[in-house]
Amino acid sequence: MRTSWIVVVLTAVLLLGACGDPSDGPETAPPTPDVSRAATTHQRAQSSPSAPAAVVAPRVLYLGDSLAMEAQQVLGQELRRELRATYTSAPYSGTTPCDYLEGTGKKSLVPDRDKAAALVRALHPDFVVLQFWGNAWGYTWCMDGITHAASPQKYFSRYRADLRRLTDQIAAAGGERRPRIVWVAQGPDPITPDRVRRVNELYEEQAAASGDVVADAGATVAPAGSRYTWVQYLPCTSYEHEHSDYCTQPGRDRTALHLDKDYLHFCLAPTTSTPRPCPARSPGILRIAREITRVIGSS
């Protein structure tokens, strides 16, 4: 049963062009997703008469992979409501940090116009939020075929180098108005839990080295006291009890984080062949978005 479950799960992941971690992932990268410029959201908050006059609304840029793709609208809503933020998102499913590096040419799933440095120069954000599961199985060309399954050490070394390069490019693009980077730590992985732990450690390491910050959003979708144990359900929070649409099984005092056939994504609507923001109220996505918003608000 476990083998069949994993096969079904991976099939669902591949449909979305996701960034999971099976050892038998595709050998060649797929075509660049057809995500038009219009799909990138540019949203400005409305002034709130109840907001304190001293609060400066931040400009936030959100980049990342399929996890960012599904969460982009919810994060924008939270940032606008809580921080009156000006918000832009440009996620691409299947990506990893190297896809957002300038100088990759055609070996990338992200077009030049949406590279991190290009968007920083154009938008002058105060924060750049980067959310990557950590593409580990050669889905994107820019990883040059390096996979976690074939060579964990080479994979982690390359991932560390790409985090440094991406940080440097964002800093250079920001100039005197360098934005602060928010690395989003990921939730548990039932297939390779130690890989996610190491990737999150790399985010912590890079943030500490460059004066940036980590939002441990992954902890909000993990059991209390067991940060890297994957579960499909968690007890409802007080917020979810107060907003009943987000407590999916109130009679059992628990809420769903994942669909039965998708261990990676948090959208409680089936994946589609065309990447899209999540169309369903999804507790995992909201938990992640609220933690990212909290970290930006306190930074």
Side-chain angles (χ1 to χ4, degrees), residues 58-275:
R59 294 181 297 272
V60 180
L61 173 63
Y62 184 38
L63 309 176
D65 57 20
S66 58
L67 295 179
M69 174 65 74
E70 68 179 6
Q72 59 182 312
Q73 288 185 350
V74 176
L75 179 60
Q77 291 166 4
E78 291 299 307
L79 287 168
R80 292 194 302 274
R81 182 173 66 243
E82 298 296 328
L83 305 177
R84 299 167 43 227
T86 299
Y87 172 73
T88 304
S89 62
Y92 285 82
S93 293
T95 54
T96 201
C98 62
D99 283 291
Y100 281 92
L101 288 169
E102 291 189 316
T104 53
K106 295 182 179 180
K107 291 180 59 178
S108 174
L109 297 175
V110 176
D112 288 346
R113 67 176 182 247
D114 285 341
K115 298 295 190 182
L119 289 174
V120 168
R121 286 191 292 268
L123 300 171
H124 309 291
D126 301 301
F127 295 91
V128 178
V129 180
L130 299 172
Q131 182 168 11
F132 298 97
W133 177 254
N135 189 313
W137 41 276
Y139 191 86
T140 175
W141 296 286
C142 69
M143 285 296 286
D144 298 318
I146 298 171
T147 66
H148 178 263
S151 179
Q153 191 55 51
K154 184 179 292 186
Y155 164 80
F156 289 123
S157 295
R158 171 61 186 275
Y159 207 81
R160 176 185 289 107
D162 287 340
L163 299 188
R164 291 173 179 170
R165 289 181 61 198
L166 190 55
T167 297
D168 289 345
Q169 288 191 3
I170 290 171
E176 294 182 357
R177 297 179 58 184
R178 180 203 188 279
R180 194 167 197 190
I181 297 172
V182 180
W183 298 100
V184 180
Q186 297 310 303
D189 178 359
I191 308 301
T192 55
D194 287 340
R195 183 195 65 81
V196 172
R197 186 196 308 271
R198 288 284 304 277
V199 165
N200 286 345
E201 288 173 354
L202 292 179
Y203 293 149
E204 293 278 2
E205 174 187 300
Q206 182 56 51
S210 55
D212 293 306
V213 66
V214 171
D216 192 5
T220 70
V221 291
S226 189
R227 174 64 176 79
Y228 289 98
T229 297
W230 184 92
V231 293
Q232 185 176 1
Y233 300 92
L234 281 176
C236 295
T237 65
S238 58
Y239 180 93
E240 289 160 356
H241 281 300
E242 293 168 4
H243 300 78
S244 57
D245 288 341
Y246 291 99
C247 186
T248 63
Q249 296 183 6
R252 303 178 69 177
D253 189 27
R254 70 178 194 176
T255 196
L257 302 178
H258 307 276
L259 290 177
D260 291 343
K261 298 181 179 180
D262 190 343
Y263 75 92
L264 169 57
H265 299 99
F266 295 94
C267 183
L268 297 186
T271 58
T272 64
S273 59
T274 302

Side-chain angles (χ1 to χ4, degrees), residues 274-299:
T274 302
R276 60 177 180 171
C278 182
R281 287 186 174 90
S282 301
I285 290 177
L286 184 60
R287 289 181 181 213
I288 288 168
R290 284 169 59 83
E291 178 60 16
I292 294 170
T293 300
R294 186 194 68 78
V295 169
I296 291 175
S298 62
S299 297

